[in-house]
Amino acid sequence: MAAALCAAATGVGCSSSPSGTSDEIVVFAAASLKSPFTELGSRFETENPATTVTFNFAGSSDLVAQLVQGAPADVFASADTDNMTKAVDAGLVEGDPAAFAANTLTIVTPPGNPSGISTFADLARPGTQLVVCAPQVPCGAAAERAEDATGVTLSPVSEESSVTDVLGKITSGQADAGLVYVTDAAGAGEMVTSVPFPESANAVNHYPIALLTGSSRPQAAQDFIDLVTGPHGREVLGAAGFAVP
C-alpha cells in the first residue's frame, strides 16, 4: 500500500507503514501540507499507537484524479475548494468538508534575488525565467487570479504539477523566479529569497479536509480530521505560516 502511494505521489514524500497492517489510515494531502501534516501524523500515531498514518502528498488536482480512478484513501485535504468540489461531485466525500487553513502566494527567487525582482509586473520582463504551477493546480489557479488583479500577463517557461516542484526549480537554480505559497517560501529558508506583492491578497487559497466515503476506518480517519481542525492542528499549521481560514 505505502509503496504504491509513494509511487503515485510522483516524488513527494510519504510516511512509512508496516506492510499489511490493518490499522492504517491513508491521507491524500496537498503537497504544500507536507511539513505540518507529517508532524500531525506523528502526533496522531503517538496518541493512537495501534494506528499508522500513511500520506500521499501531491498536487490537489492529481490527488482528485487518483481518487476518481479508485485509489483507496480515508481522508482528502485539498489546497483549494475547487478540487474538493470535484471530489464531492464524484460522490467521494462523506459529510461536509471542513475548512482548516488558508495560504497566500509570494514570489521566490534564488538567494539574493539576482534578477532584481521587486514587483509582480517584473515577472513579465523579457528574458525572465519564470516557473508557476499549472492552471489546474490550486497554486496555478491562484497565480491566474493574481494576473487578473494586476492586469499583468505572465509567460512562464514551465508549468509544474505541484507547488513543491516550482520551489524545486528555484532552489536548484533552474529559474529566475517562481510563484509559491508563503508557507513553502518559509520552509525553504535561506535557499530562496521571498518577494511579497500586495496583489497576493486577491489570490488566497482556502484548504478543506474531508472524510472519504470509501474509508475502511472512518472513526480513525475522523479522529485525524479532528486533530487537524482542532487547537493543536491550528498551532502546527500556524507555525508553518498557514492562516486561519
Side-chain angles (χ1 to χ4, degrees):
M1 169 81 74
L5 288 170
C6 284
T10 318
V12 290
C14 300
S15 69
S16 60
S17 64
S19 177
T21 180
S22 60
D23 296 329
E24 175 189 54
I25 58 171
V26 178
V27 178
F28 276 35
S32 52
L33 292 167
K34 182 178 180 181
S35 178
F37 265 38
T38 299
E39 180 176 344
L40 289 170
S42 295
R43 180 182 178 93
F44 187 84
E45 290 178 343
T46 298
E47 295 177 347
N48 302 271
T51 302
T52 297
V53 184
T54 298
F55 290 105
N56 179 6
F57 295 108
S60 297
S61 57
D62 288 343
L63 295 174
V64 171
Q66 292 173 33
L67 291 170
V68 169
Q69 291 166 9
D74 301 284
V75 175
F76 175 43
S78 174
D80 68 349
T81 55
D82 287 348
N83 280 290
M84 180 61 76
T85 297
K86 292 177 183 177
V88 171
D89 291 346
L92 300 173
V93 172
E94 184 74 32
D96 295 325
F100 67 95
N103 216 345
T104 307
L105 289 183
T106 190
I107 299 166
V108 288
T109 73
N113 191 5
S115 295
I117 304 294
S118 61
T119 67
F120 190 87
D122 287 343
L123 299 177
R125 289 191 314 217
T128 299
Q129 301 288 300
L130 172 67
V131 181
V132 301
C133 292
Q136 69 271 20
V137 182
C139 57
E144 289 188 332
R145 294 198 301 274
E147 287 184 83
D148 292 340
T150 59
V152 173
T153 300
L154 301 178
S155 299
V157 296
S158 178
E159 294 181 341
E160 304 297 326
S161 61
S162 74
V163 68
T164 50
D165 291 338
V166 174
L167 189 66
K169 293 280 189 179
I170 303 303
T171 58
S172 62
Q174 298 181 60
D176 300 320
L179 285 169
V180 303
Y181 296 121
V182 293
T183 54
D184 296 283
E190 296 181 354
M191 293 190 294
V192 300
T193 292
S194 182
V195 183
F197 59 100
E199 298 89 355
S200 63
N202 298 284
V204 178
N205 276 9
H206 295 275
Y207 286 50
I209 189 169
L211 175 68
L212 297 175
T213 55
S215 174
S216 59
R217 300 199 65 216
Q219 185 56 61
Q222 185 60 54
D223 289 345
F224 179 79
I225 292 172
D226 292 343
L227 174 63
V228 171
T229 58
H232 187 74
R234 289 190 182 278
E235 178 184 344
V236 171
L237 289 158
F242 288 89
V244 176

